């Protein structure tokens, strides 16, 4: 390596000498100045203490830093193949750019992917395909308690806040959504004037900071919420519990970044740290979550209310389901965010190792709602690396009713996947507040591109659905999506995964679900079942080990198979279950009767 760098340096000096000689005395003067500067830099590098490589290899060591700084560009533009880039491969990025520009997105000479590789997935076409719909379909959102249902497109703009995105990027997306008649979700950073500029249909997202509808102490302000929820552009409200990039993590926008515009949008003081807590102050349990959903729906005059989260514990999901059954309150929609989501900058450990991927999370929630007899009341959205027509169709088969896309919409707006979103140095003006950089993003042109991209991608999804011989997406089923499990075998999603029957959890939970269903409690998030090797010999001596960290309460103790097992505390005021009773779901409240908890 050192010899290589020395050769480069000697070659550079030789070239500089030739150039200097060609320009006579002036050239030699310039060369002398350069050499003196390099000599001074070498002395500095030898004396500084921060970089060992520069102390040992003055000046030459800086070549390493230069090469390291341009490594992502070299990798992306010269080394990676069309189908193996990350997070989005070149084929996908090229498709998005082509559709955004209204250009031909076809590709010649066949697929470059290894169709015999384990994990490869494909959709099954029909021998008798049908014609696609003339107009893109809309999915109606609105449960029995919703008085203002809304028809959502198959693909929409997922939540991205002003502050994370530049105002020009928000304006361009809003313009594209208005032109195409699809949803622009605001992100938790507030309902801003830029989201209202072009009149697009909005899903107003509210996070744990309640920006735009908060009191001075950061708690929820119902009057401010009701005022903004009444805006005609606001078609629904999404309560954000967590996001795929960093589930279970809050955030802090440093005071120096809280400009006047951001302070206005979020209704916080200028120049003061803007804190998004890790969890909500308005609810702490699944039951309280459902009650808060019902409260929001009343304040919003019956508009659809949903929530978004990245799936963690299955017990938590089932606890939400039990809360729905016991309160009779259900959200109008739930958006599942996969752990592969990534518009928000996050610690690498969270991006790589925290949260459930979209496929597993989506199917889990779909299964839980089906098993509890609630699926027909609630629409499911899927968010996380949805970029192509086939992505949309796969998510519909896995349980979604519609999809949300963030990074693909950023690329339609001009993003080049530079991965500098958190540095305020986005080179194309999408994810920055630097006026010099954002001025390059023309709102009119990029708004047209967002519209083109969504329109052509949904049209391709509709064409794929037609090629599968389906006119109503209710007829899509898990047999139509297959995955290669080894070099000789492919299996359908119907055989790879276990799918619950309607109401199955209420009657007889299958073995794989029974323990989690029994443990789930409408009054607690979290898992409290004891591990065998941690079970105390004497419950009274070790009760402290099982204190609920959320409530600081000590769980009660029950006996199961001769072992002492800690149980979550029960509400004694709740209606007692009757042994042998068969659980049923009846009425619009979907309130179960009989044995609902199975904890005897």
């Amino acid at each position: 390596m050192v010899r290589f760098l020395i050769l480069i340096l000697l070659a550079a000096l030789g070239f500089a000498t030739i150039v200097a000689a060609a320009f006579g005395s002036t050239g030699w003067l310039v060369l002398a100045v350069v050499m003196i500067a390099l000599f001074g830099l070498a002395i500095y590098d030898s004396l500084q203490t921060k970089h060992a490589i520069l102390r040992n290899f003055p000046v030459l060591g800086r070549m390493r830093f230069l090469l390291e700084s341009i490594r992502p560009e070299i990798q992306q533009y010269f080394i990676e193949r069309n189908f193996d880039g990350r997070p989005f491969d070149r084929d996908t990025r090229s498709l998005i750019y082509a559709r955004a520009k209204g250009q031909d997105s076809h590709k010649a000479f066949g697929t470059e992917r290894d169709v015999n590789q384990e994990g490869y997935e494909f959709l099954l076409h029909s021998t008798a395909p049908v014609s696609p719909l003339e107009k893109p379909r809309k999915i109606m959102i609105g449960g029995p308690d919703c008085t203002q249902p809304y028809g959502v497109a198959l693909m929409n703009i997922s939540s991205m806040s002003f502050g994370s995105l530049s105002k020009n990027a928000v304006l361009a997306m809003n313009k594209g959504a208005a032109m195409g008649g699809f949803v622009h979700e605001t992100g938790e950073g507030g309902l801003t004037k830029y989201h209202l500029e072009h009149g697009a249909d909005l899903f107003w997202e509210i996070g744990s900071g309640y920006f735009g509808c908060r009191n001075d102490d950061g708690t929820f302000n119902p009057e401010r919420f009701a005022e903004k929820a009444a805006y005609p552009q606001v078609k629904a409200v999404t309560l954000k519990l967590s996001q795929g990039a960093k589930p279970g993590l809050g955030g802090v926008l440093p005071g120096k970044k809280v400009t006047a515009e951001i302070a206005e949008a979020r209704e916080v003081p200028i120049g003061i740290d803007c804190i998004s807590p890790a969890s909500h102050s308005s609810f702490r349990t699944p039951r309280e979550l459902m009650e808060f959903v019902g409260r929001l729906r009343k304040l919003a005059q019956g508009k659809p209310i949903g929530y978004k989260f990245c799936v963690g514990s299955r017990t938590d999901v089932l606890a939400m389901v039990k809360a729905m059954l016991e309160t009779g309150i259900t959200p109008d929609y739930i958006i599942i965010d996969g752990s592969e989501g990534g518009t928000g900058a996050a610690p690498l450990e969270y991006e790589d190792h925290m949260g459930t991927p979209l496929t597993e999370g989506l199917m889990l929630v779909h299964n839980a709602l089906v098993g509890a007899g609630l699926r027909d009341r609630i629409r499911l959205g899927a968010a996380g690396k949805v970029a192509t027509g086939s992505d949309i169709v796969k998510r519909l088969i896995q349980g979604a009713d519609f999809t949300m896309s963030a990074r693909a919409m950023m690329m339609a707006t001009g993003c080049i996947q530079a991965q500098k979103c958190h540095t305020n140095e986005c080179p194309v003006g999408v994810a920055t507040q630097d006026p010099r950089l954002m001025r390059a993003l023309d709102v009119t042109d990029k708004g047209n591109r967002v519209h083109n991209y969504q329109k052509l991608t949904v049209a391709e999804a509709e064409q794929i659905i037609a090629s599968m011989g389906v006119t109503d997406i209710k007829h899509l089923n898990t047999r139509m999506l297959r995955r290669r499990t080894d070099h000789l075998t492919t299996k359908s999603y119907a055989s790879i995964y276990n799918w619950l029957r309607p109401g199955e959890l209420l009657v007889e939970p299958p073995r794989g679900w029974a323990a989690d269903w029994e443990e789930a409690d409408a009054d607690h998030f979290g898992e409290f079942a004891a591990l065998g090797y941690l079970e105390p010999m004497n419950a009274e001596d070790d009760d402290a080990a099982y204190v609920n960290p959320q409530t600081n309460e000590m769980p009660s103790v029950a006996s199961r198979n001769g072992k002492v097992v800690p149980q979550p505390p029960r509400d004694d005021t709740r209606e007692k279950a009757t042994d042998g009773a068969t659980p049923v779901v009846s009425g619009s409240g979907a309130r179960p009767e009989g044995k609902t908890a199975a904890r005897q």
Side-chain angles (χ1 to χ4, degrees), residues 418-434:
Q419 296 180 272
K420 294 185 176 181
C421 310
H422 60 297
T423 66
N424 204 37
E425 297 175 358
C426 173
V428 292
V430 174
T432 179
Q433 299 304 308
D434 186 329

Side-chain angles (χ1 to χ4, degrees), residues 450-519:
V450 170
H451 172 222
N452 287 338
Y453 165 66
Q454 191 272 352
K455 178 181 67 175
L456 294 175
T457 301
V458 169
E460 198 64 35
E462 293 283 7
Q463 181 62 67
I464 292 172
I465 292 170
S467 295
M468 298 170 74
V470 170
T471 54
D472 191 333
I473 59 175
K474 292 181 180 179
H475 297 151
L476 292 172
N477 63 71
T478 52
R479 298 189 304 275
M480 296 177 174
L481 177 58
R482 301 187 70 87
R483 174 183 291 182
R484 181 167 293 283
T485 56
D486 60 50
H487 70 289
L488 293 176
T489 310
T490 65
K491 294 182 179 180
S492 73
Y493 268 59
S495 61
I496 296 176
Y497 298 96
N498 294 320
W499 300 89
L500 298 185
R501 298 186 301 274
E504 187 174 0
L505 288 174
L506 305 177
V507 179
E508 186 177 358
R511 182 176 180 181
W513 289 73
D516 289 339
W517 179 252
E518 179 180 358
E519 184 183 6

Side-chain angles (χ1 to χ4, degrees), residues 260-271:
E261 279 192 314
I262 292 177
E264 177 188 5
R266 300 193 177 200
E267 298 184 351
V268 297
I270 300 174

